Amino acid sequence: MILADLARRFAAWIALAGLILLIALAGPATCHKLHREQARARLGEEQARAASRSGEDAVATVGAAARREQVSDQMTRDNEMEIHHAKGAEMPIDPAVRDAGLGGLCRRPAYRDNERCRLRRPAPH
């Protein structure tokens, strides 16, 4: 009976000691797991931000290239109009000169699908 009395008296202290022991053993592992999860979350956020910045850079690069191509194509069309409206434009020219000029124009994206350029393309084999 003495042992049972002692156990009842110290039951709260024994439970408290057990709880402290459990916290002491499980606490560092829980903290480590929490820090690891937080680090993973930060890494995921950084990766998402980096991917977003990379996408923005790609869009800006493609947009700038498209604008440069538009400017170049417009300049080619403007040059063509200036040539066609120049004095003497209606005069006949040597066919070799004409073919060389048309060949140069037809290599440009602005004229690639022009009917005169499509007619000049070699037939597919």
Side-chain angles (χ1 to χ4, degrees):
M1 277 274 196
I2 295 177
L3 198 54
D5 268 346
L6 250 128
R8 271 192 298 270
R9 249 187 221 175
F10 293 108
W13 289 106
I14 292 171
L16 182 62
L19 183 61
I20 289 172
L21 183 63
L22 181 64
I23 290 172
L25 294 176
T30 303
C31 284
H32 182 66
K33 182 179 177 185
L34 179 63
H35 286 292
R36 200 172 49 237
E37 288 172 0
Q38 289 173 341
R40 282 187 185 141
R42 282 192 306 271
L43 179 61
E45 290 169 4
E46 283 300 316
Q47 287 175 331
R49 278 196 284 283
S52 177
R53 286 190 302 267
S54 180
E56 290 169 1
D57 289 346
V59 168
T61 299
V62 169
R67 284 188 294 279
R68 285 190 305 272
E69 188 171 327
Q70 283 177 333
V71 167
S72 175
D73 291 348
Q74 184 61 50
M75 184 186 305
T76 301
R77 287 188 290 275
D78 291 346
N79 290 342
E80 180 189 31
M81 292 302 294
E82 190 175 330
I83 291 167
H84 283 293
H85 292 99
K87 182 178 177 186
E90 70 283 349
M91 301 296 292
I93 58 169
D94 187 288
V97 172
R98 182 200 62 223
D99 290 346
L102 285 174
L105 285 174
C106 290
R107 286 188 290 274
R108 309 262 313 179
Y111 289 92
R112 189 173 294 140
D113 294 326
N114 180 287
E115 175 133 1
R116 288 173 75 181
C117 293
R118 284 195 309 256
L119 293 173
R120 293 174 50 80
R121 287 185 199 146
H125 302 311

